[in-house]
Amino acid sequence: MPKLSKRLKSAAAKKPKTALPLAEAVNALKGYDKPKFDQSVEVAMRLGVDHAQADQIVRGSIVLPHGIGKDQRVVVFAKGPQADAARAAGADEVGDDELAKRILGGWTDFDVCIAAPDMMKVVGPLGRVLGPRGLMPSPRAGTVTPDVGKTVEEYKAGKVEFRNDKGGNIHAIVGKLSFDSEKLVENVQAFVDRIVSVKPSAVKGVYVKSVHLSATMSPSVMVSI
């Protein structure tokens, strides 16, 4: 077993043994010894859903109150006035057939892919490349939309997507460790509230089983629900 660094040993010693209220959990996360870079903060929620049941999939998006501290790279499939709106909103790449060829060739250096509805014939064949990376545009996620300009603005402002995995878990970046504690608390609370608001009606029993916060290189902290 590899030896733990002094920083990780210190963090492990400081790890709370029980779940904490959200504000205290954020402060505990900030109390760990930090590496020399600004770590991303992630929330992980374990849900009482059955991934095999289509009516229990939890999927959607949210614009966090204070963004995520990262400039997301956004590509857009659009043409004409919609393409102009996407560029004006700050899209990093806008195109149609040529953009599709680049992606089929292996280029996926972006965080979000948005498409106008009339571009799905071009985007559809990209599923085998974008699907496994979680980048395929989807009406349910709001990334297939007639208002590409507004959607680009939202992602540039800190919009994040979520979808439960096969174990019923949802992960999302909710900011940077350098954020003020109050801003992190507000971002996390907004995310948790959003997940609660989209509880599938088919789910029975306990819906939110656990919530944990972690940073890029730190132990997690359990949040009391």
Side-chain angles (χ1 to χ4, degrees):
M1 181 180 294
K3 291 184 177 180
L4 294 176
S5 67
K6 289 182 179 180
R7 184 183 62 78
L8 290 179
K9 285 182 179 178
S10 173
K14 293 179 180 179
K15 180 179 172 68
K17 301 297 189 290
T18 59
L20 300 175
L22 178 54
E24 293 180 26
V26 166
N27 288 334
L29 194 66
K30 282 178 162 288
Y32 291 141
D33 293 342
K34 302 174 182 63
K36 295 179 179 179
F37 68 95
D38 191 8
Q39 302 176 81
S40 293
V41 176
E42 182 178 274
V43 61
M45 300 178 66
R46 187 164 68 91
L47 306 179
V49 299
D50 183 354
H51 176 79
Q53 304 300 318
D55 59 356
Q56 293 192 34
I57 299 298
V58 177
R59 181 177 187 179
S61 59
I62 179 175
V63 179
L64 295 173
H66 305 290
I68 60 173
K70 173 187 176 183
D71 182 21
Q72 299 194 88
R73 294 162 295 179
V74 179
V75 302
V76 177
F77 283 91
K79 55 187 176 182
Q82 288 182 318
D84 294 338
R87 294 187 183 94
D92 298 273
E93 296 279 348
V94 181
D96 42 50
D97 293 323
E98 287 303 315
L99 181 57
K101 288 179 182 178
R102 287 178 64 191
I103 292 173
L104 283 174
W107 179 72
T108 56
D109 188 23
F110 49 90
D111 303 298
V112 181
C113 184
I114 297 167
D118 62 353
M119 298 301 295
M120 289 312 293
K121 288 185 178 179
V122 175
V123 176
L126 304 179
R128 65 179 183 271
V129 177
L130 299 180
R133 294 170 174 79
L135 294 170
M136 187 65 180
S138 159
R140 190 169 178 180
T143 45
V144 175
T145 171
D147 195 346
V148 294
K150 179 182 177 182
T151 305
V152 170
E153 289 177 353
E154 289 176 342
Y155 277 98
K156 286 294 186 179
K159 187 175 187 177
V160 295
E161 295 179 35
F162 55 82
R163 178 173 179 158
N164 64 275
D165 63 18
K166 292 181 179 180
N169 304 298
I170 280 183
H171 303 265
I173 292 175
V174 289
K176 293 286 190 177
L177 202 58
S178 60
F179 280 19
D180 291 341
S181 295
E182 293 80 4
K183 290 183 177 180
L184 278 176
V185 168
E186 290 175 10
N187 272 5
V188 175
Q189 190 64 62
F191 186 84
V192 172
D193 289 347
R194 174 66 171 148
I195 299 302
V196 171
S197 75
V198 296
K199 175 185 176 182
S201 59
V203 173
K204 308 300 180 184
V206 178
Y207 176 50
V208 178
K209 293 189 172 182
S210 67
V211 179
H212 286 79
L213 290 181
S214 64
T216 307
M217 296 181 66
S218 78
S220 64
V221 178
M222 184 182 292
V223 181
S224 58
I225 310 170

